[in-house]
Amino acid sequence: VEHAFDDVAGPHTEVLEGEAVSVDTEGKVLTLRDGRTVPFDKLCICTGARPKIVSDHARVLALRDTASVQELRDKLKSCRRVLVTGNGGIAMELVHEITNCELVWVVREPHMGNAFFDEDAADFLAPALASRLASAPVDPVAPPSNPCHR
């Protein structure tokens, strides 16, 4: 669910709109493009991401907002096979949540969630994920064997 920034501001939260241009880690100060400075004790840099769109086809969706998630939800009602590309948080959530249809997950990294987990943690979590997925590998060019119903 998306919220306006005013909805998250509170007694311990201040929302500033601006573009960070420098960080003084010794002085613990962030400088914004307009010249404002923001002191900090701890700094968490969350730059966001943009999906890499691999096709301009009607069946290719990039999830970035509530509307795109609703579009996916609508399309899942009649799907037979889902292809998920990527290894970030959204892709991992989709792989975990999409059930009752064939799922193909394409990643370029050697282990799942490499931005979040090291290889040992991924190996530890893999059996739990595998128990939710099909027991046999899916042939990406074979016709789907079962419909997806949500």
Side-chain angles (χ1 to χ4, degrees):
V1 175
E2 296 174 3
H3 294 281
F5 286 125
D6 293 342
D7 292 345
V8 297
H12 302 289
T13 305
E14 179 182 4
V15 178
L16 301 175
E17 184 176 346
E19 180 182 349
V21 292
S22 68
V23 177
D24 175 357
T25 56
E26 301 256 336
K28 295 188 173 187
V29 175
L30 175 77
T31 302
L32 302 179
R33 180 163 306 283
D34 63 10
R36 290 179 292 168
T37 58
V38 184
F40 62 86
D41 292 321
K42 305 283 186 202
L43 176 64
C44 178
I45 300 174
C46 304
T47 59
R50 287 194 169 89
K52 181 177 181 180
I53 309 300
V54 296
S55 174
D56 190 25
H57 191 279
R59 292 186 180 183
V60 174
L61 299 175
L63 299 182
R64 293 305 303 152
D65 54 23
T66 305
S68 62
V69 170
Q70 183 60 49
E71 183 180 1
L72 174 63
R73 182 178 291 130
D74 293 342
K75 290 184 182 254
L76 281 174
K77 293 175 184 174
S78 62
C79 74
R80 296 178 298 172
R81 172 180 282 180
V82 174
L83 172 75
V84 175
T85 63
N87 202 7
I90 292 172
M92 289 179 23
E93 286 186 45
L94 285 173
V95 168
H96 179 74
E97 292 296 328
I98 294 174
T99 59
N100 300 327
C101 65
E102 290 187 45
L103 178 74
V104 178
W105 188 14
V106 178
V107 297
R108 67 177 173 205
E109 295 83 8
H111 64 275
M112 72 174 186
N114 71 318
F116 309 103
F117 313 118
D118 63 17
E119 192 169 358
D120 290 336
D123 288 345
F124 176 77
L125 296 170
L129 180 60
S131 69
R132 294 184 52 92
L133 302 176
S135 58
V138 176
D139 177 353
V141 296
S145 62
N146 61 329
C148 178
H149 300 286
R150 285 259 351 175

